[in-house]
Structures are given as structure tokens and as C-alpha cells.
């Protein structure tokens, strides 16, 4: 995870290899931003792995938001 701050924005960049964006749950409750996923490995039955460098894992992070942040402008892509 990397966090960047500009004059206008705070950007959290998360990389979750093997996890599709539709599998990521993002929510804001009060002053907490929550990002989580429950990853499942999708095996190819006809192929046996020779090398694996990325293994999807369950992921959960919480971030306490500053009261100065505009909650209506929070978005994910």
C-alpha cells in the first residue's frame, strides 16, 4: 500500500495480485475507511502450477479519517 497526498486529495493505492476489483469491499463508517477482501484461488484444473509468486490472501485494513476530509468525495477505482 502507498499513500499519496496532494493539495486536493489523499490517495491510497493498494495492490492485491489475483484479486478482482469486484471482490474488494470498501466502506466508510463514521471516521473509519475499511477495505477488505476474502480471496479465493481459482485453480485451472488442466494445468499444474510450476511457480507461484502471488497468492491471493484475505485482506483487511482500516484507516482513521481526518475530520477535514470530505466524506462525499471518497471514491474507488
Amino acid at each position: 500500500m502507498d499513500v499519496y497526498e496532494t493539495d486536493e486529495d489523499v490517495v491510497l493505492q493498494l495492490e492485491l495480485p489475483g484479486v478482482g476489483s469486484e471482490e474488494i469491499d470498501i466502506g466508510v463508517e463514521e471516521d473509519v475507511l475499511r477495505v477488505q477482501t476474502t480471496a479465493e484461488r481459482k485453480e485451472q484444473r488442466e494445468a499444474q502450477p510450476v511457480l507461484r509468486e502471488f497468492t491471493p490472501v484475505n485482506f483487511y485494513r482500516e484507516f482513521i479519517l481526518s475530520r477535514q476530509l470530505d466524506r462525499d468525495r471518497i471514491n474507488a477505482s
Side-chain angles (χ1 to χ4, degrees):
M1 178 188 78
D2 293 332
V3 179
Y4 303 94
E5 186 173 4
T6 68
D7 291 338
E8 298 288 322
D9 300 308
V10 175
V11 178
L12 282 75
Q13 180 179 350
L14 303 167
E15 294 187 22
L16 299 168
V19 178
S21 60
E22 68 280 353
E23 299 171 285
I24 301 170
D25 180 31
I26 300 171
V28 177
E29 295 178 23
E30 297 183 20
D31 292 334
V32 178
L33 170 68
R34 177 188 36 80
V35 180
Q36 68 181 4
T37 183
T38 302
E40 295 181 21
R41 178 176 291 284
K42 296 170 185 76
E43 297 290 342
Q44 296 180 0
R45 294 180 187 249
E46 65 276 354
Q48 292 295 322
V50 176
L51 172 69
R52 287 186 176 155
E53 290 187 358
F54 299 113
T55 302
V57 296
N58 294 337
F59 178 86
Y60 184 86
R61 291 290 297 267
E62 286 186 347
F63 306 91
I64 297 174
L65 302 175
S66 165
R67 295 197 186 273
Q68 297 172 347
L69 294 176
D70 183 354
R71 304 307 190 266
D72 294 331
R73 292 189 52 212
I74 294 175
N75 66 68
S77 60

